[in-house]
Amino acid sequence: MATETIPNVSILFNRPYVDGRVLENIKKVIETGKISGDGPMCKAVEAQIKELFSVKHALLTTSCTHALETAMMMLDLQPGDEVITPSFTFVSTANAIIRGGGKPVFCDINDRTQTIDVNDFERRITKKTKAVIPVHYAGVSAEMDEILEIARAHRLVVVEDAAQGVNAKYKGRFLGTIGDASAYSFHDTKNYVSGEGGAFTTNNDALARKAEIIREKGTNRSNFLRGEVDKYTWVDHGSSYILSDILAAILKSQLDDLDEIQAQRKRVHDGYMRGLAELERQEKLRLPVIPSYCESNYHIFYILLRSEEERVRVTKQLKEFGISATFHYVPLHSSPYALKALGTRDLKLPVTDHIYSTLLRLPIYPQLRDAEVEYVVGKLREILK
Ligand SMILES: *Cc1c(COP(=O)(O)O)cnc(C)c1O
């Protein structure tokens, strides 16, 4: 079997995709003599994002966290205002709400795609609710039509956390272009990377203008640079969220290889799905579901085991075989900060707790070879025999 040809196995969990052209692109930036942000390279990459994903506005930011903060800051939240988001997400989603002056209200996820439970979201809406942040998990979309319908009925702003959703689709539309505003991540654990980085996207002109001001320290410098005003000044609250052109240069070569990177991830995903199908038939694990109306970008490959004890045991045994596999988000409602600052002790989110306990992420990245995928599959079969 192919697995025996791999000596001293060490299969990393993640490897960022960076190729040789990165250095050429960085060199181009250095030669322009301008290495801060919003220079020619940033503009080129923003134009590329707009074109690739059919979105009207794209502003590169220093992280997805900062793009989410930009979105929350523009809502002008007042004390007591609430924003609903799943508990099963990265801390940045909730931090952005707090930094924007609001209160995160956590809801459950559905058991099929681990994205926001639409009914639970609707149940948690109050007079204080101003917005919702659905999170696209693992490259698979949240149920956007239902979310938008509920949000419109209650006049809520919809901000997609599309950190994991770059180049994935929902009913033919790219994630990060469906809600009122969205945030992408280019952190080096994501599919397309600049090291650290992100983007704020929107089809709404007024929101784009607000975002420009927030990420430019609350000034109208962007209008000034376009010659729309004759000097620039402090016009709103803001921060410093513009990505350096050097980091944009790193992202450029990956956007040029967008579909190739995704095809390689799909190869790994398909290998796991084929190799583990038998274990799913035997009900020893569950495999991820991609609904027919979604196109995944294969950001994460996870399996769902039967119990937390089993997940811990499988993780440990895989490690002994040289394979890095890892759990995911500790639910935010049970985190020390939420317990202390948000009083979430009595909040019951059963699906979130169950998924957290049983979910295990396997290595997935373009450089992962078929033989390595087979090795992981073989070891899982052995462990779960
Ligand atoms: C990675 C991630 C973020 C944060 O992205 P950064 O670019 O590192 O700030 C936010 N939300 C989700 C769901 C993520 O996966």
Side-chain angles (χ1 to χ4, degrees), residues 198-311:
F200 173 93
T201 56
T202 184
N203 286 313
N204 180 311
D205 297 340
L207 294 183
R209 266 196 303 279
K210 278 195 174 193
E212 262 185 359
I213 289 168
I214 290 170
R215 79 196 248 290
E216 186 64 281
K217 301 98 185 163
T219 73
N220 57 352
R221 185 162 178 270
S222 303
N223 304 76
F224 171 72
L225 293 177
R226 284 196 296 266
E228 294 161 7
V229 290
D230 60 8
K231 56 183 181 306
Y232 77 88
T233 182
W234 191 18
V235 294
D236 205 341
H237 62 154
S239 195
S240 180
Y241 293 155
I242 293 173
L243 190 72
S244 159
D245 266 40
I246 293 195
L247 293 180
I250 297 179
L251 185 57
K252 178 84 175 61
S253 68
Q254 291 168 60
L255 294 181
D256 292 342
D257 284 354
L258 193 79
D259 291 328
E260 173 59 18
I261 292 173
Q262 189 144 314
Q264 292 301 328
R265 286 183 167 272
K266 182 174 192 308
R267 172 183 57 77
V268 173
H269 173 97
D270 291 350
Y272 282 137
M273 291 298 281
R274 269 195 310 275
L276 299 172
E278 180 65 21
L279 286 174
E280 185 171 55
R281 272 193 295 276
Q282 297 165 354
E283 297 184 7
K284 293 191 171 155
L285 52 72
R286 274 168 57 204
L287 294 171
V289 173
I290 304 174
S292 57
Y293 50 83
C294 289
E295 275 176 45
S296 181
N297 63 12
Y298 311 99
H299 173 58
I300 289 171
F301 190 90
Y302 63 84
I303 55 176
L304 294 163
L305 294 161
R306 288 169 296 192
S307 67
E308 183 160 20
E309 297 72 55
E310 191 164 70
R311 190 203 60 201

Side-chain angles (χ1 to χ4, degrees), residues 63-65 68 89-90 92-93 135 161 163-164 185 187 190 197 329:
S63 64
C64 174
T65 305
L68 288 167
T89 182
F90 191 56
S92 295
T93 328
V135 179
D161 182 337
Q164 303 178 17
S185 176
H187 185 266
K190 300 303 198 298
Y329 310 125

